[in-house]
Amino acid sequence: MNPSVLFVFILSILLGVLRAADLAFGTDAVTGLCVVGSVWWRYLALGIVVLAAVLVGRTQPSRSEAVRSRRPLAGILAFVGAVCFLAAAGAQIALGAASGLGGFVRCILECLCSAWLSTMGRCWLSHNEWKKPFGGLYLAVAGSLLFYWNVLLRFMENSSSWHRVTPTAAVWQALAALVFLAALARALHVPQPGNGKTLCAAGLAAFALCLCWQLPHVLVLMSGLSWAAPAVWPEIFAGLGLCCVGGIGGACVTACLNGES
């Protein structure tokens, strides 16, 4: 693997470790406010890693055609992500959180995202000749709309405060997932010369934001007593699904770079 890409992967993992330490010792669990150090150090670290991911990804000679072949790791992550998003929708329906317009639309979009991820997973795990995922570009766009809707929900439901890092970073995470899935859809359905660099940059950013930054938060929810509260289950399942999207981003980057060599 290219040393600069490997450096970004290591930097992203280090970001996840620091995020876990921050959640354990530097952030108040109830309010989400930072109690140790300035909030701007969190954004600086996050911004440096994302900027490095985009710059390195845009400079890599890569082939997007590599994702149109058997990819077991990406396929497994896609299936796990599909199950998580479907479980998140089911948990919201069971808890009555889908009664409002926002919750109802989110459940529908989570089901569509689950359908698209499962379709891609089946293609990536198939031993037969590669075929485009069922539903084509229409299902790909519909499956990506979940993260566009999540951006809107964050602005509608959460008070804007730079001092609460998690809600603010959640907007960036949803945008990273949206850009990555859009780049992946183009690579699968609309082959173009520049798809490889775009997919590589978006995949590295999704790996950093959606997996490395999100996983510590999910583990905190699962490790504490809060996991026993049914109201937290949709957030846990949705968080695990987002982690899977980030993992798919890393797998696609590795595939594109290996395909180039």
Side-chain angles (χ1 to χ4, degrees):
M1 182 181 292
N2 188 294
S4 58
V5 175
L6 181 60
F7 172 74
V8 172
F9 276 123
I10 295 175
L11 198 64
S12 300
I13 295 172
L14 178 61
L15 176 70
V17 173
L18 292 177
R19 176 60 176 165
D22 180 43
L23 290 174
F25 306 107
T27 300
D28 183 74
V30 177
T31 63
L33 297 175
C34 301
V35 295
V36 177
S38 171
V39 66
W40 300 110
W41 287 112
R42 278 82 169 176
Y43 292 123
L44 179 62
L46 186 59
I48 288 175
V49 175
V50 174
L51 181 62
V54 173
L55 293 179
V56 169
R58 293 295 301 176
T59 59
Q60 297 307 306
S62 53
R63 294 178 56 192
S64 61
E65 296 84 357
V67 299
R68 298 197 293 270
S69 61
R70 176 175 164 79
R71 298 293 168 185
L73 177 58
I76 293 173
L77 289 172
F79 269 121
V80 175
V83 172
C84 290
F85 283 121
L86 191 61
Q92 290 180 83
I93 294 174
L95 295 172
S99 56
L101 176 61
F104 176 75
V105 173
R106 180 176 176 177
C107 287
I108 296 298
L109 294 179
E110 283 175 334
C111 292
L112 290 174
C113 184
S114 176
W116 185 42
L117 289 176
S118 62
T119 300
M120 288 195 299
R122 185 170 62 252
C123 293
W124 278 327
L125 293 175
S126 175
H127 291 278
N128 301 323
E129 183 180 356
W130 170 262
K131 295 181 180 179
K132 289 184 178 180
F134 173 80
L137 192 58
Y138 295 103
L139 182 59
V141 172
S144 304
L145 285 177
L146 167 65
F147 301 100
Y148 176 75
W149 184 252
N150 283 345
V151 172
L152 296 180
L153 286 182
R154 287 295 178 181
F155 283 115
M156 289 188 295
E157 296 178 354
N158 291 293
S159 57
S160 57
S161 172
W162 288 98
H163 296 283
R164 298 183 67 231
V165 179
T166 300
T168 304
V171 177
W172 302 355
Q173 290 175 296
L175 287 173
L178 178 62
V179 172
F180 164 65
L181 292 180
L184 179 58
R186 288 196 301 271
L188 293 175
H189 300 284
V190 190
Q192 293 178 348
N195 280 349
K197 292 183 177 181
T198 303
L199 181 60
C200 192
L204 286 173
F207 178 81
L209 278 165
C210 301
L211 176 58
C212 297
W213 182 269
Q214 178 67 21
L215 186 58
H217 178 65
V218 175
L219 293 179
V220 167
L221 292 177
M222 296 176 65
S223 61
L225 294 177
S226 59
W227 71 267
V232 183
W233 295 350
E235 184 178 357
I236 291 177
F237 287 130
L240 288 173
L242 186 64
C243 290
C244 289
V245 171
I248 295 172
C252 287
V253 170
T254 303
C256 290
L257 295 178
N258 290 340
E260 194 279 332
S261 59

